[in-house]
Amino acid sequence: MTRKPVYLAVYDTLADWETGHTTAYLARAGYEIRTVGASGAPVTSVGGLRIQPDATLDDVRPEDGALLILPGADLWDTSDELAPFARKAREFLAADVPVAAICGATAGLAREGLLDDRAHTSAVSFYLAATGYKGGDRYVDTDAVTDGKLITAGPTEPVAFAREVFGLLGVYEGEVLDAWYRLFHDSDAQAYAVLEAAGQ
C-alpha cells in the first residue's frame, strides 16, 4: 500500500530527541518522512544536528500528507519566527489531516487559537496560560492527548507522543500498541514477546 508522507517540521533549536521514536517507527511502517523548513536553508537542532529540509512550508499541501509533526524548539518561546508553522497546522486540521505537536509547539498552537476548543496537554498548564489563549479549561494533566486529529504532549513524553501517533494512524493497535509503549517507556521485557509474536 502506498502511504502519503509524514511531514516533520524542522527549524533552528528544534528539540531533536522529542520525535525520534515517532519518525523511526513510522519509517519502519512504510511512511516516508519529509522534513519541512520555512525555507530551503539548513537548520541546526538544539543537539547540533544540521538538517537540510526536503521541502518548504509553501511546498506543503495538507491533502498530500498523512501527518504534520511539530517538535519543540527554543524559538517557539523567544520569537514569532515559527508562527508560520502553527498557521500550517491550522491548514492541516481544517483539511482533516492530523497534526502532532510536542513541547514548545503546543504553545505555538495555543497562540494560533488551535487549542481553545480541543482537549490538549503540554509541559504544565501555566506554560500555556502564559500565551493568553482561551483553552485553559480544556487542558488535561496527562502524558499525551489526542482530540480528533490533534495530538499534543509535553517535553518529557516522546514515547507517549509516539504512542498517540501510532494509534491515530493505525500503525499499531490494541495490545501491540500497549506493548510497544510498555517496552520503550517502562523497559518491560515481557512486552518484547508480544511485539515479537506480532511480527514487530
Side-chain angles (χ1 to χ4, degrees):
M1 174 186 11
T2 302
R3 299 182 185 275
K4 292 182 178 181
V6 167
Y7 294 114
L8 172 66
V10 296
Y11 20 73
D12 286 330
T13 74
L14 78 89
D16 36 28
W17 68 90
E18 292 177 343
T19 60
H21 290 86
T22 303
T23 55
Y25 281 85
L26 286 177
R28 284 186 168 191
Y31 286 93
E32 176 191 5
I33 309 299
R34 293 185 51 79
T35 54
V36 180
S39 72
V43 299
T44 304
S45 75
V46 73
L49 298 178
R50 188 173 183 272
I51 303 166
Q52 178 69 55
D54 296 315
T56 69
L57 273 178
D58 289 342
D59 297 330
V60 171
R61 301 185 313 163
E63 59 268 28
D64 295 334
L67 171 72
L68 174 64
I69 301 174
L70 300 176
D74 295 344
L75 287 177
W76 283 113
D77 297 321
T78 58
S79 75
D80 293 328
E81 187 175 332
L82 302 185
F85 289 91
R87 290 195 292 271
K88 184 60 71 171
R90 177 180 291 282
E91 289 180 31
F92 269 67
L93 292 171
D96 203 33
V97 180
V99 172
I102 186 169
C103 189
T106 61
L109 297 189
R111 292 185 194 98
E112 183 64 19
L114 295 174
L115 304 185
D116 289 350
D117 301 311
R118 294 176 172 91
H120 60 275
T121 194
S122 184
V124 286
S125 60
F126 57 81
Y127 169 65
L128 291 185
T131 69
Y133 85 130
K134 299 175 182 175
D137 60 339
R138 304 299 305 273
Y139 186 89
V140 182
D141 189 13
T142 191
D143 56 7
V145 171
T146 299
D147 186 335
K149 294 295 177 75
L150 178 65
I151 295 167
T152 52
T156 61
E157 298 296 342
V159 178
F161 182 69
R163 177 196 65 207
E164 297 301 301
V165 169
F166 302 156
L168 185 60
L169 295 183
V171 173
Y172 302 132
E173 297 175 324
E175 69 171 6
V176 175
L177 179 61
D178 178 64
W180 185 92
Y181 178 75
R182 287 188 289 111
L183 178 62
F184 287 97
H185 187 266
D186 304 326
S187 299
D188 183 347
Q190 292 180 346
Y192 182 78
V194 176
L195 294 174
E196 192 173 51
Q200 304 297 325

